[in-house]
Amino acid sequence: GIAFLPVDAAARAEVKAVFAATAAAEGLQLLGWREVPVNSDGLGPTALSVMPAFEQPVLVASPDRPVASELELERRAFCLRKVAERLIRDAGEAEKTDDASDSATPAGLALYFPSLSSRTMVYKGMLTTAQLATFYPDLSDERFTTAIALVHSRFSTNTFPSWPLAQPFRIIAHNGEINTVGGNRNWMRTRQAMLRSPELAGESGDLARLFPICTPGASDSASFDEVLELLHLGGRSLPHAVLMMIPEAWENAANMDQARRDFYAFHAALMEPWDGPACVTFTDGTLIGAVLDRNGLRPGRWWRTSDDLVILASEAGVIDIDPATVIAKGRLQPGRMFLVDTAAGEIRDDDEIKSALAAEAPYGEWLHAGLLNLDALPNREHVVHTHESVLRRQQLFGYTEEELRIILTPMATSGGEPLGSMGTDTPMAVLSKRPRLLFDYFAELFAQVTNPPLDAIREELVTSMHGMIGPEQNLLAPSAASCRQIVLPKPVIGNDDLAKIWHVNADGDLAGFQCALIDGRYRVHGGGPALTAALQRVREECATAIENGARILILSDRDCDADHAPIPSLLLTSAVHHHLVRTGQRTQVGLVVETGEAREVHHVALLIGYGAAAVNPYLAFESIDDLINAGVISGIEAPAAIDKYIKGLSKGVLKVMSKMGISTVASYTGAQVFQSLGLSDEVVDEYFTGTAHKLGGVSLEVIAEEVAARHAQAFPLTPTARAHRRLEIGGEYAWRREGEVHLFNPDTVFKLQHATRAGRYDVFREYTDEIDRLNHEGSTLRGLFALKFGQRPPVPLDEVEPVSEIVKRFATGAMSYGSISAEAHETLAIAMNRLGGRSNSGEGGEDAERYVPDENGDLRRSAVKQVASGRYGVTSHYLVNADDLQIKVSQGAKPGEGGQLPGYKVYPWIARTRHSTPGVGLISPPPHHDIYSIEDLAQLIHDLKNANSAARVHVKLVAENGVGT
């Protein structure tokens, strides 16, 4: 094997000593270390400055424990590597935190093996491709031959470059991103408590010495590699392990063979997919292959030549091949596996591979014995609540008349999420003076440049809202007990479905489905301390319930009264989820959240993202029932309206998932692809562990105060208040006098309109002063900043460009024709052209009449034209009439989501400009659906340069936390 060790001599000696002792403990004998001299010619000072010491240890089996097979030796080497790296990593961390340490303590204690294998050798480093042969001279040695070579060269975009994170890894090389990696790591962490393997640990099966399976601080590719290695060495073939982690889209594949469907369904009960755009290549030294994600969002092409050379590459033309020698070629397809077996000397067919795997165990029989379908269980009695009861609980959970009108009513009648305009002019939750739900302190993350969002509308076949709830078993010992779970068609469940789950084991004859009801309330008058104590109580009750045999936990906030308020459901869910992850009990139970708080798509997405397998928004159902009884919703019965509402919530969650490039709700569960905005470090670290949070903020005390404010509305102290009970009007989505603060309110809108219509600059100043006042009072974060004066001498005005030159660098935001009127669109263009600046056409095309100056000399042409996949109105004429061509890779106001123009706004003149049909709604694909890599971007730039050689080409990007551009 090859090892990277510290440069410091003392540290290197300590590392070698620990490694030698570990080797002996694992039944292997260390024959010695051989220094490999580094040829620095051509590497340059940068490479050498970050280069670790490079040495080569040689390992053989101990004579008193002969190795029965090559695979057994591989397993011993795997255990040795995991244990040694953990011991040395822990020792290094201890030295960093040891206050008694002094300069004599060895520095930089670390050990990393690119490979420690009897089957493969891995060469890697922070090198350019041209430097590789110089750094590793054995690669140029004619005596060094191999039948297999797996090469990966990549510019890192989502990790800080380091030698251990360079690709390839021990088994794989990965082109793409694992979008669900945060959740995948959490699930693997909690699965460790149940892992047992006689193959890796003898009769005891105890693998504790190998933990953590996923090394802290590793990349998504490195974590994938570590889990795949465990699955493979734990007893499965390499193709089997790969298909467990990246299954094809089997859920909606009507023509799939039943045995293969059973194979995937069984393994879906064992672990969630590692989801994201990915081409994973893999080898064990004999088999070498590649598999694409279920969407096929990475390219891959293969060739076979007449001399039995097989080449697979991410792009055509990577290697020069004489076309006359090519006897077969093809491309990787979504979810399909390409596999070369060098022992058999053949390319294995995808169907052959999967049929063989599906026949290895009686998966269909296991599923029949283990799975329960929720839809097949008997229904329970429907309960109708009084208007007074519903109203009181609506106040308790902060409902408004606006939400009932704008959110619930349309979803209950149409089965879809209501459409709204982009952006908001209200304060974020942490700045608001009104009590806000905890959901409002979170924002979803979104896909980046090289991990595109999905087109959930056009790619429906590869998405799935199907999930399972129940306990997991030992991942390394599959059996009929592994799939003892309940199948959920959707993550949002009605009251009947919740009752089915609660009563599924009422007779006690369905082992494995015991339920426990957890009280999610706290004593409201105790404030923050009472909320903290309640969270601790809940976590302890959950752990105890699991020890007593519970396999489904129902977290409920029902039955609040004058003394008890609901723990915010998101806080309750995440606190339990992360506590059980820490205790190693998480995979032993499924979480169901019964809450009156959730009613919007964002709420449900957050609950699922932080660990809920199913959400029952019971008060939303009761509210719909109440609206029907009051005649607000007509023409539909309550059960049908609730079904439509559940459908709308589920479709909305799918849309949110797709914006992050996630295909299945199983992968989304617990993935916590959100960032917090305005929660304190203490709250996030304890209850939302691992969540990105750049902005500090409120504590549990403030959260409790906001809950108490809503509770006081529901349970007022005076009889008069109870007699005049009504919901607040609202004011989040539209301005209301008594509602939330809006930057654009009747006063500011009037001043702006009056100033522009009358040409009154003094009124315009009144408008800007009022906006500034609202900003400074906490409507926006930027309004809290203030300029410092007097810190340095002012710049002399004669050194500053005149205003006429400065404005030439101004540009408008991209607003498409159709989203705003022709008058507004053209006025912006005229204004910027007069100034010498640039207006942006947006994605909606532009009328060709605007390319010619008007009689008065004004030009209505937008200087910047947007281009992206599937954009309406993009023609050659459009492209040549631009000074700038802007590739739209991400959308600022709605990241990861394509533009949408409702049918009633597609007037004939807009349809003509966009080359579409009047009255038919327009939904663009996600903004970079055909831009999956830097190479794709380069190709599009090349095409645009050929369309308009005089135009500048630039890219509109958005980046999340930790991603640089």
Side-chain angles (χ1 to χ4, degrees), residues 223-502:
S223 295
F224 184 99
D225 181 80
E226 290 175 314
V227 174
L228 181 63
E229 190 176 33
L230 174 73
L231 293 175
H232 171 46
L233 296 179
R236 294 177 174 91
S237 68
L238 189 52
H240 187 162
V242 169
L243 291 175
M244 284 182 63
M245 299 182 71
I246 307 182
E248 62 183 306
W250 60 274
E251 298 89 343
N252 301 315
N255 298 323
M256 181 178 288
D257 174 73
Q258 186 60 45
R260 188 187 303 186
R261 181 186 297 277
D262 291 341
F263 170 83
Y264 287 123
F266 174 80
H267 289 95
L270 269 65
M271 70 181 299
E272 74 293 340
W274 289 56
D275 201 6
C279 174
V280 174
T281 51
F282 53 87
T283 184
D284 62 4
T286 301
L287 299 176
I288 185 167
V291 66
L292 283 189
D293 64 276
R294 61 170 53 209
N295 300 281
L297 295 182
R298 283 292 181 268
R301 296 187 176 276
W302 62 269
W303 301 263
R304 180 178 180 179
T305 66
S306 54
D307 57 352
D308 279 341
L309 176 65
V310 179
I311 299 169
L312 184 143
S314 60
E315 307 283 351
V318 171
I319 298 177
D320 292 329
I321 307 172
D322 182 357
T325 66
V326 176
I327 60 174
K329 61 182 178 180
R331 67 178 180 86
L332 289 183
Q333 299 181 46
R336 300 299 179 88
M337 179 174 287
F338 181 83
L339 188 68
V340 177
D341 185 339
T342 60
E346 63 180 11
I347 298 176
R348 303 255 319 261
D349 180 71
D350 177 79
D351 287 335
E352 173 198 339
I353 297 167
K354 293 170 180 175
S355 295
L357 291 174
E360 285 182 350
Y363 295 119
E365 295 177 14
W366 289 352
L367 290 171
H368 180 73
L371 288 188
L372 281 181
N373 195 308
L374 191 63
D375 290 341
L377 298 176
N379 287 324
R380 299 284 164 175
E381 183 181 352
H382 182 63
V383 179
V384 178
H385 295 267
T386 65
H387 173 70
E388 179 66 22
S389 168
V390 173
L391 179 58
R392 183 182 69 247
R393 285 176 294 126
Q394 285 174 338
Q395 289 181 312
L396 176 65
F397 289 104
Y399 273 67
T400 65
E401 290 185 6
E402 182 182 55
E403 288 177 318
L404 295 178
R405 184 182 72 258
I406 294 179
I407 304 296
L408 265 70
T409 297
M411 294 182 75
T413 54
S414 71
E417 186 182 9
L419 296 178
S421 299
M422 295 187 295
T424 178
D425 62 339
T426 59
M428 56 195 305
V430 70
L431 300 180
S432 176
K433 295 180 174 61
R434 300 166 61 84
R436 299 285 290 270
L437 299 178
L438 188 61
F439 301 115
D440 296 342
Y441 289 87
F442 289 81
E444 64 191 43
L445 299 176
F446 50 90
Q448 300 298 301
V449 178
T450 55
N451 56 330
L454 302 178
D455 187 346
I457 296 174
R458 298 167 181 84
E459 298 176 3
E460 186 178 8
L461 286 177
V462 298
T463 61
S464 174
M465 300 304 288
H466 163 283
M468 297 183 187
I469 183 171
E472 293 184 14
Q473 304 297 323
N474 179 7
L475 185 63
L476 301 179
S479 68
S482 300
C483 57
R484 191 65 170 158
Q485 298 185 355
I486 298 174
V487 179
L488 303 175
K490 297 182 181 69
V492 183
I493 60 173
N495 294 336
D496 288 343
D497 288 339
L498 180 63
K500 291 177 183 179
I501 293 173
W502 176 248

Side-chain angles (χ1 to χ4, degrees), residues 11 44 60 99 144 155 228 274 318 437 460 479 509 585 595 608 612 655 673 692 722 792 822 839 852:
V60 296
D99 293 335
F144 193 9
F155 176 78
L228 181 63
W274 289 56
V318 171
L437 299 178
E460 186 178 8
S479 68
D509 58 351
Q585 297 172 295
T595 177
I608 297 170
K655 180 179 177 181
V673 284
R722 289 194 292 271
R792 60 184 63 187
S839 62
V852 181

Side-chain angles (χ1 to χ4, degrees), residues 411 415-417 465 492 598-602 604 617 620-621 644-654:
M411 294 182 75
E417 186 182 9
M465 300 304 288
V492 183
R599 58 263 200 184
E600 298 182 17
V601 168
H602 180 60
V604 176
F621 301 149
K644 283 182 177 289
Y645 175 71
I646 291 175
K647 178 183 177 182
L649 283 179
S650 299
K651 286 173 61 180
V653 170
L654 174 58

Side-chain angles (χ1 to χ4, degrees), residues 34-108:
R34 184 165 64 87
E35 293 278 349
V36 176
V38 175
N39 181 358
S40 62
D41 294 345
L43 287 179
T46 303
L48 292 176
S49 66
V50 297
M51 183 184 67
F54 172 62
E55 306 195 6
Q56 179 176 335
V58 179
L59 299 172
V60 296
S62 176
D64 59 341
R65 289 185 60 187
V67 177
S69 68
E70 179 188 88
L71 186 57
E72 182 183 343
L73 180 58
E74 195 72 11
R75 286 168 173 157
R76 289 195 203 174
F78 164 74
C79 294
L80 168 58
R81 194 191 76 230
K82 295 291 289 186
V83 174
E85 289 185 343
R86 177 182 59 79
L87 289 174
I88 293 167
R89 182 174 61 247
D90 291 348
E93 291 298 319
E95 289 185 359
K96 288 180 184 177
T97 58
D98 186 0
D99 293 335
S101 62
D102 54 31
S103 58
T105 302

